[in-house]
C-alpha cells in the first residue's frame, strides 16, 4: 500500500495504529537521499566472538516474522533501493540478499506500506515511476478536519473540548507558518 498526502508522519501513524488494532508488530524504516540498501537488507559485521557474520536488516527480519513495515518517505530513497524492492513487490514476492545469495520468502502476514509526500512541494522528493507505483495499492490520505481532530483529542486525552480547540488552532497556525517559510 502506498500512502500519499501532505504529511508522511500522519500516514505512518495511521499504519502503526492499524497494526496495533490488528495485533501486528510494525516497524518504520526512514528513507533519505543517502539510504543504502544495507539499511534494509543487512550487512556483515563482527559478532561478540570477533567472527564476521551477516546481520539481517529490518526489512528481512520483519519479512521472516510476518511484521508490517512502513517505508517512510519512499520518494527520498535512491534508485538502487527502489530497484531492489521490485522483486518483493512483484508476483514472486521475495527478497534477494546479494551478500549471502539467499532468497527470503516473506511470512504470509507480512505487509509492506510506503509513504510519500508530493514531489515538487517538498524538497528532494522525486516522482516515483508509474511502473513502480503500479506495484502498490495507492491511497491518498488528506488532513484530518479540525472538528474531527478536536474530537480525537477530547476522546484520547480526556481534556476539555475548549482546550482541544485551542490546541488544534495552535497546530493549524504552526502549519500555516511552516508552509509560508518553506
Amino acid at each position: 500500500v502506498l500512502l500519499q498526502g501532505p504529511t508522511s508522519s500522519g500516514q505512518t501513524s495511521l499504519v502503526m495504529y492499524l497494526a496495533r488494532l490488528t495485533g501486528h508488530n510494525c516497524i518504520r524504516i526512514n528513507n533519505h537521499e543517502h539510504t543504502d540498501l544495507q539499511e534494509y537488507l543487512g550487512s556483515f559485521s563482527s559478532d561478540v566472538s570477533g567472527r564476521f557474520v551477516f546481520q539481517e536488516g529490518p526489512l528481512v527480519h520483519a519479512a521472516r516474522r510476518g511484521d508490517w513495515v512502513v517505508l517512510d518517505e519512499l520518494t527520498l530513497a535512491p534508485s538502487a533501493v527502489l530497484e531492489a524492492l521490485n522483486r518483493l513487490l512483484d508476483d514472486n514476492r521475495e527478497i534477494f540478499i546479494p551478500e549471502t545469495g539467499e532468497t527470503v520468502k516473506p511470512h504470509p502476514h507480512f505487509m509492506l506500506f510506503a509513504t510519500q509526500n508530493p514531489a515538487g512541494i517538498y524538497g528532494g522528493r522525486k516522482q516515483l515511476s508509474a511502473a513502480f507505483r503500479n506495484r502498490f495499492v495507492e491511497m491518498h490520505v488528506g488532513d484530518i478536519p479540525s472538528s474531527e481532530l478536536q474530537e480525537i483529542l477530547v476522546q484520547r486525552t480526556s481534556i476539555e473540548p475548549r482546550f482541544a480547540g485551542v490546541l488544534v488552532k495552535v497546530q493549524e497556525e504552526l502549519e500555516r507558518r511552516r508552509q509560508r517559510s518553506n
Side-chain angles (χ1 to χ4, degrees):
V1 176
L2 177 62
L3 302 167
Q4 47 188 332
T7 61
S8 67
S9 60
Q11 300 158 22
T12 300
S13 297
L14 176 64
V15 174
M16 299 286 227
Y17 178 72
L18 290 173
R20 266 195 315 277
L21 279 180
T22 59
H24 291 91
N25 186 43
C26 187
I27 65 161
R28 173 183 169 265
I29 301 174
N30 189 46
N31 288 282
H32 47 84
E33 58 274 1
H34 302 295
T35 300
D36 189 277
L37 192 53
Q38 292 177 342
E39 293 177 52
Y40 278 35
L41 304 181
S43 61
F44 281 97
S45 63
S46 299
D47 66 7
V48 290
S49 65
R51 292 181 313 154
F52 208 49
V53 295
F54 186 77
Q55 300 289 326
E56 288 184 346
L59 181 64
V60 175
H61 186 70
R64 288 189 195 277
R65 289 179 33 143
D67 294 339
W68 289 10
V69 174
V70 179
L71 304 177
D72 202 11
E73 299 279 4
L74 192 58
T75 51
L76 289 176
S79 297
V81 171
L82 299 178
E83 288 171 20
L85 291 172
N86 280 332
R87 199 165 176 172
L88 179 59
L89 296 169
D90 69 14
D91 292 336
N92 292 335
R93 199 164 186 248
E94 60 190 21
I95 301 171
F96 178 69
I97 306 171
E99 289 83 354
T100 64
E102 182 182 6
T103 300
V104 176
K105 287 294 244 181
H107 186 282
H109 295 152
F110 173 75
M111 290 283 290
L112 184 68
F113 298 85
T115 67
Q116 70 172 20
N117 289 320
I121 296 174
Y122 294 87
R125 273 68 173 181
K126 60 186 169 292
Q127 184 72 30
L128 296 175
S129 73
F132 186 78
R133 288 176 47 201
N134 282 339
R135 296 171 182 262
F136 288 92
V137 172
E138 288 190 45
M139 295 176 62
H140 180 80
V141 180
D143 287 329
I144 298 173
S146 299
S147 60
E148 289 180 29
L149 190 55
Q150 185 174 339
E151 184 179 332
I152 290 168
L153 282 169
V154 169
Q155 302 250 341
R156 298 276 313 264
T157 65
S158 300
I159 63 173
E160 291 185 38
R162 64 187 173 108
F163 292 131
V166 170
L167 288 173
V168 169
K169 284 186 172 127
V170 167
Q171 183 250 348
E172 289 171 343
E173 179 60 27
L174 289 172
E175 282 182 2
R176 272 193 292 279
R177 289 178 185 213
R178 185 192 67 185
Q179 287 172 352
R180 283 194 306 257
S181 69
N182 286 329

